[in-house]
Amino acid sequence: MPRTNGLDRRTFLRGAGSSVLLGTAGMSSLAAGSGLLGARRVAAQPPARPHPPAPDDYDFDEVIDRLGTDSVRWDRAVAQYGDGIVAGMGVADMDFRAPPCVTQALAERCAHENWGYMHRPASYAEAVAAWNHRRYGIEIDPSTLVFTTGVHPGIIAALHTFSPPGTRVLMTTPTYNGFYTDLRFARTVTDDNPMIVDAEGRYSIDFDDFERRARRCNTFILCNPQNPTGNCWTAEDLTRMGEICLRHRCVVLADEIHCDFVTRGNTYTPFATLDPEIVANSLTFKSGSKSFSLAAMKVAWYYSTNPDLLERVKANTRADLSTLGMVAMRAALNEGEPWLDDLLVYIDANHDAAESYIRDNIPGVRYRKAQGTYLAWLDVAEFAERIGAAGTAARESAEGSADVTPEKVVQRWFAERAGVFLNPGPGYGTGGAGHMRMNLASSRKIVELALNNMAEAVAEA
Ligand SMILES: Cc1ncc(COP(=O)(O)O)c(C=O)c1O
């Protein structure tokens, strides 16, 4: 039976939405005995920002009921596991209310009530360039920006350009599962470079293996910060990868979609700020999908300092943008920075809460706080063994069920017994086994509910 602290899901979500007024008193009942409140009291320090955050400006504790809004994160989890799901902690988008500046800009544009073809205003590219300059010191000539409906179409265009069908594409793994879909679209195959993981759960690159593979690949998809491990690559790591790729004429496709999410004490180093010769062997892909949770607005872009690479990829790109996407993204970039700065403090505290709660309350599951992203990469190997997930997977496969892995058994276990939806690790490539990915971009109440339910279910296992 899923645990909802005595409430059914809809009641909980409704109640939680209004219990914002109760402030921490409302939250304490959910977290009672969990140890999470202690973690919440730790004042998180944001990474250094040009605008110092004011943590009380926005209400990230508010619970938004996304059920019935055609959301992948919630509605698809319920479609797969039924009404017992109380915490959709899967696909990487955020549960928070959009920044007020976005809602206001959209409302103003909707009031016009005409949706004819849009002439993209110069102010849009300028907003993207200004954001990257202001926050990260990246110089982008606005005329070199190519706008796409997502990072995927850009990466697929680049693969079509540089990696002929049947050739291998280098990736450091575990890495974002969506890249494997991009590779299929481009009829290419992966060349997984498994990361080294130490006893503490820290990931690093196996550079010898990386170079061996780079020799036979035309492209390398870099994920910086890395989804799902949360690694923020240092300038030294990036330079080493960049030099190897340059040496072997392997073009770097730098997916930096998660760049705006960095936890306390960590830094995002844009690939585009390395040595110019290394940068000239790359394209960078970004979007508003993560930073402002505009994934369904389809707002992404790519650029390169190398006109040759850029023109060749552009020739394979049908660039596109919608009016509402453009309006939302431009407002976020121009006016949403204080919202994002506040949010980073909140997400950082969610990571802290998850790390300490899991350590103290969920035996067999380990979580080492991510350096970046709002994702938690959980090591569930011990727990999977405890519930005999490998044996269950083998038996079900022998009985004819397709693609049952131990991690899918773990996914089902938490969905059915805790009402919590997580993503199974093997989808993220070599090194993903024994792991689950948990999305922490939610009201603290939902994060606490998910963790409490998981702890109770594990205690009874
Ligand atoms: C690393 C990475 N790249 C790309 C995407 C998808 O990008 P978009 O929404 O712009 O298509 C995601 C979404 O989770 C991601 O994590």
Side-chain angles (χ1 to χ4, degrees):
M1 272 289 287
R3 291 146 171 82
T4 57
N5 294 281
L7 302 167
D8 69 40
R9 184 185 63 240
R10 282 184 188 281
T11 312
F12 168 73
L13 289 171
R14 262 200 311 276
S18 56
S19 75
V20 164
L21 297 172
L22 300 176
T24 50
M27 293 172 75
S28 61
S29 62
L30 279 171
S34 68
L36 271 177
L37 277 180
R40 284 185 53 251
R41 277 192 215 107
V42 175
Q45 295 303 312
R49 299 283 164 201
H51 303 293
D56 293 327
D57 281 358
Y58 304 99
D59 184 7
F60 300 114
D61 282 337
E62 180 187 17
V63 175
I64 309 272
D65 184 353
R66 297 179 64 192
L67 282 164
T69 61
D70 303 318
S71 86
V72 173
R73 182 167 170 175
W74 288 83
D75 290 312
R76 204 193 277 174
V78 168
Q80 188 174 347
Y81 285 110
D83 256 1
I85 294 292
V86 296
M89 311 307 268
V91 78
D93 68 15
M94 302 200 281
D95 285 337
F96 306 110
R97 186 182 291 281
C101 60
V102 167
T103 305
Q104 190 186 333
L106 287 172
E108 280 167 14
R109 184 59 187 82
C110 282
H112 184 255
E113 298 184 87
N114 179 278
W115 306 107
Y117 288 115
M118 174 187 60
H119 170 68
R120 179 165 51 77
S123 60
Y124 186 52
E126 283 159 11
V128 172
W131 172 270
N132 279 280
H133 177 69
R134 199 164 64 238
R135 268 185 105 78
Y136 302 116
I138 308 170
E139 297 295 342
I140 306 175
D141 172 353
S143 70
T144 63
L145 284 162
V146 183
F147 293 98
T148 53
T149 50
V151 160
H152 292 298
I155 288 182
I156 292 167
L159 292 174
H160 278 308
T161 308
F162 306 117
S163 293
T167 61
R168 302 167 198 257
V169 176
L170 177 58
M171 302 199 282
T172 55
T173 62
T175 195
Y176 170 49
N177 49 357
F179 293 148
Y180 292 94
T181 318
D182 295 346
L183 263 52
R184 274 202 300 281
F185 267 98
R187 293 173 182 71
T188 52
V189 291
T190 180
D191 205 345
D192 283 9
N193 159 233
M195 289 194 273
I196 300 164
V197 55
D198 70 12
E200 304 296 312
R202 253 181 252 116
Y203 284 83
S204 59
I205 308 265
D206 178 343
F207 281 101
D208 290 338
D209 184 69
F210 183 91
E211 177 144 24
R212 194 168 59 77
R213 295 173 194 278
R215 281 196 191 100
R216 61 190 188 196
C217 292
N218 294 355
T219 45
F220 161 49
I221 305 184
L222 166 71
C223 195
N224 178 39
Q226 181 99 359
N227 169 8
T229 62
N231 265 40
C232 287
W233 301 113
T234 61
E236 196 193 5
D237 284 329
L238 292 170
T239 299
R240 233 172 130 182
M241 290 189 260
E243 280 171 350
I244 292 171
C245 287
L246 189 60
R247 205 157 43 239
H248 300 295
R249 306 166 74 87
C250 177
V251 178
V252 179
L253 311 181
D255 178 332
E256 301 192 343
I257 192 171
H258 289 276
C259 71
D260 286 311
F261 294 92
V262 170
T263 58
R264 194 172 62 243
N266 294 297
T267 328
Y268 150 64
T269 306
F271 193 84
T273 57
L274 303 180
D275 178 85
E277 206 189 340
I278 291 175
V279 176
N281 183 43
S282 75
L283 294 102
T284 295
F285 301 80
K286 289 191 173 185
S287 137
S289 297
K290 308 298 161 203
S291 313
F292 294 99
S293 210
L294 296 177
M297 286 287 180
K298 311 304 284 154
V299 275
W301 58 84
Y302 68 80
Y303 59 91
S304 174
T305 56
N306 183 332
D308 175 50
L309 296 189
L310 191 66
E311 286 311 314
R312 287 167 65 196
V313 180
K314 270 171 88 168
N316 284 325
T317 308
R318 181 70 173 86
D320 228 339
L321 185 62
S322 77
T323 298
L324 289 181
M326 188 281 291
V327 166
M329 187 76 249
R330 186 179 53 190
L333 294 169
N334 287 341
E335 302 163 57
E337 201 156 3
W339 180 90
L340 181 62
D341 285 334
D342 276 14
L343 177 67
L344 291 177
V345 179
Y346 193 87
I347 298 272
D348 190 69
N350 275 4
H351 277 291
D352 283 337
E355 187 183 44
S356 62
Y357 185 85
I358 290 170
R359 186 187 54 235
D360 297 343
N361 299 285
I362 313 187
V365 176
R366 293 195 304 163
Y367 172 50
R368 182 188 169 80
K369 185 180 176 185
Q371 297 173 332
T373 78
Y374 46 67
L375 307 165
W377 184 235
L378 309 182
D379 179 343
V380 300
E382 202 185 310
F383 174 71
E385 204 178 315
R386 213 172 109 204
I387 62 165
T392 307
R395 195 179 56 252
E396 291 182 11
S397 298
E399 287 165 3
S401 301
D403 299 329
V404 190
T405 60
E407 294 73 16
K408 282 200 179 155
V409 173
V410 173
Q411 180 189 51
R412 189 174 64 208
W413 197 94
F414 279 117
E416 291 178 354
R417 297 180 190 225
V420 178
F421 185 93
L422 304 170
N423 293 124
Y428 302 85
T430 311
H435 290 78
M436 305 294 288
R437 196 189 71 170
M438 181 175 192
N439 181 348
L440 299 178
S442 265
S443 160
R444 193 86 30 85
K445 291 174 192 164
I446 296 292
V447 174
E448 290 174 350
L449 177 71
L451 293 170
N452 283 341
N453 281 6
M454 286 168 69
E456 284 179 33
V458 167
E460 287 169 16

